[in-house]
Amino acid sequence: MTIAQSSEQGITTLPDHTQLPDSDGTFVKNFQEHPQSILLTDSIQSKLDSIHPDQQYAIGQDCGIYWRLTEPPERGAECPDWFYVPNVPPSLDGKFRRSYVLWQEYIPPLIAIEFVSGDGSEERDLTPLSKISGERQKPGKFWVYEQVIRPAFYAIYEVQKASVEVYHLVENHYELVAANERGHYPIHSMGVELGIWRGQYSNVELPWLRWWDNQGNLLLTGDERARIERQRAENERQRAENERQRAEQAEVELQQERQRAERLAELLRAQGINPEEL
């Protein structure tokens, strides 16, 4: 983590998340990014709740991670589209986090994910801080994640290519993670896999970035679980209704059989034959 000398900026104490900007003033790049973030968060929630029964974890969606004190402050932050930090409180002093400040909390994210809107060069930029000069004010995203923020996993998702690259921090550099036999990328410390799922979410058919468990079962959103539960309940209701109808039909058939037997007995008696002696 790099912090500019406070004396250079007339700063005597380091700012916290309430004192740093929570936006750089730019628009979300496309309509897909917001539902994609929600999909990742919603589907992983129950898994993280089981990992953290004490609820000590934080998820950031398009939020700043401050790693360097600069002027303006936004130059010293990266803003992953999605990230997860284990073993930190979800709020600070009863307030929602405005950003994640490394010099305040020290624990890096376990995974940071960037959604590519351009050609992906920004997300793969390795330009180091030492090469910043002139109009260029920030080092490359890849370099910052690899050398400073240092999440254990860094993922680059490209919806246009229906692909995701996952990197794992090994010693001091990122190594590309190989896909498993399912075409997914294991995140062993979370007990999950990351991959591409083609289907409809939020009324849009796209190759979405999604989680699976380590057995290859898709982690479902709350709506998906509720839909399955409704379908299961409807199937059970239909099964019970079919069983009731079969029971009613069996009762009708039994009654008809009794009526036929009674008519036959009456016919035999009319002919002087006792049906009970047959």
Side-chain angles (χ1 to χ4, degrees):
M1 178 173 58
T2 302
I3 301 175
Q5 292 295 322
S6 58
S7 59
E8 295 175 5
Q9 301 182 24
I11 297 172
T12 57
T13 58
L14 293 173
D16 63 19
H17 73 113
T18 65
Q19 300 164 306
L20 292 162
D22 59 359
S23 172
D24 63 2
T26 60
F27 288 109
V28 174
K29 298 179 181 67
N30 61 59
F31 276 55
Q32 188 259 347
E33 290 191 7
H34 183 61
Q36 175 63 80
S37 293
I38 294 173
L39 174 57
L40 288 171
T41 299
D42 190 1
S43 58
I44 197 71
Q45 202 88 53
S46 59
K47 180 68 175 178
L48 294 183
D49 287 344
S50 68
I51 295 173
H52 302 283
D54 59 1
Q55 297 292 296
Q56 295 300 288
Y57 68 91
I59 290 176
Q61 297 179 168
D62 200 30
C63 297
I65 299 177
Y66 279 90
W67 60 276
R68 181 175 183 244
L69 190 57
T70 60
E71 184 57 45
E74 296 91 328
R75 284 172 46 196
E78 286 300 337
C79 193
D81 293 293
W82 195 94
F83 65 93
Y84 150 65
V85 190
N87 305 317
V88 297
S91 60
L92 295 176
D93 300 322
K95 298 177 181 178
F96 282 112
R97 294 174 178 275
R98 291 167 53 89
S99 57
Y100 191 76
V101 185
L102 279 181
W103 60 75
Q104 185 180 20
E105 303 195 67
Y106 303 107
I107 299 176
L110 191 143
I111 183 170
I113 303 174
E114 291 281 359
F115 308 155
V116 172
S117 284
D119 61 5
S121 58
E122 179 182 353
E123 290 75 17
R124 298 178 178 90
D125 191 344
L126 283 161
T127 305
L129 184 63
S130 61
K131 298 297 184 180
I132 300 306
S133 63
E135 294 184 359
R136 174 150 191 165
Q137 299 182 338
K138 296 182 68 174
K141 275 183 182 287
F142 197 104
W143 183 88
V144 172
Y145 288 128
E146 182 181 55
Q147 298 298 320
V148 186
I149 300 177
R150 297 173 65 80
F153 293 90
Y154 172 46
I156 302 173
Y157 162 59
E158 298 192 66
V159 64
Q160 299 298 334
K161 295 182 179 179
S163 69
V164 59
E165 292 174 12
V166 178
Y167 296 87
H168 184 206
L169 190 65
V170 179
E171 296 183 352
N172 290 316
H173 68 282
Y174 276 134
E175 292 186 359
L176 196 61
V177 176
N180 62 17
E181 68 279 4
R182 291 182 284 270
H184 302 158
Y185 300 88
I187 312 294
H188 293 298
S189 52
M190 296 172 67
V192 299
E193 300 172 357
L194 193 62
I196 301 297
W197 173 81
R198 293 179 179 272
Q200 182 172 313
Y201 174 73
S202 186
N203 81 336
V204 180
E205 188 89 15
L206 283 174
W208 298 94
L209 185 64
R210 295 201 63 164
W211 308 103
W212 285 259
D213 67 19
N214 52 19
Q215 280 79 49
N217 301 303
L218 184 67
L219 299 188
L220 303 178
T221 67
D223 283 346
E224 288 169 334
R225 290 193 297 271
R227 193 179 310 123
I228 289 173
E229 188 56 39
R230 286 194 300 269
Q231 186 60 53
R232 185 181 294 116
E234 175 59 23
N235 291 345
E236 179 60 26
R237 187 198 66 77
Q238 189 61 50
R239 187 199 63 78
E241 177 62 19
N242 292 341
E243 188 64 30
R244 184 189 65 80
Q245 291 177 359
R246 282 194 295 269
E248 288 181 352
Q249 183 62 31
E251 180 62 29
V252 168
E253 291 173 356
L254 180 60
Q255 184 64 28
Q256 290 172 343
E257 184 62 28
R258 287 171 179 169
Q259 291 172 353
R260 284 193 296 269
E262 183 60 32
R263 287 195 297 270
L264 178 58
E266 291 175 357
L267 179 61
L268 290 173
R269 281 193 289 268
Q271 295 176 359
I273 302 171
N274 185 354
E276 295 179 358
E277 296 179 352
L278 295 177

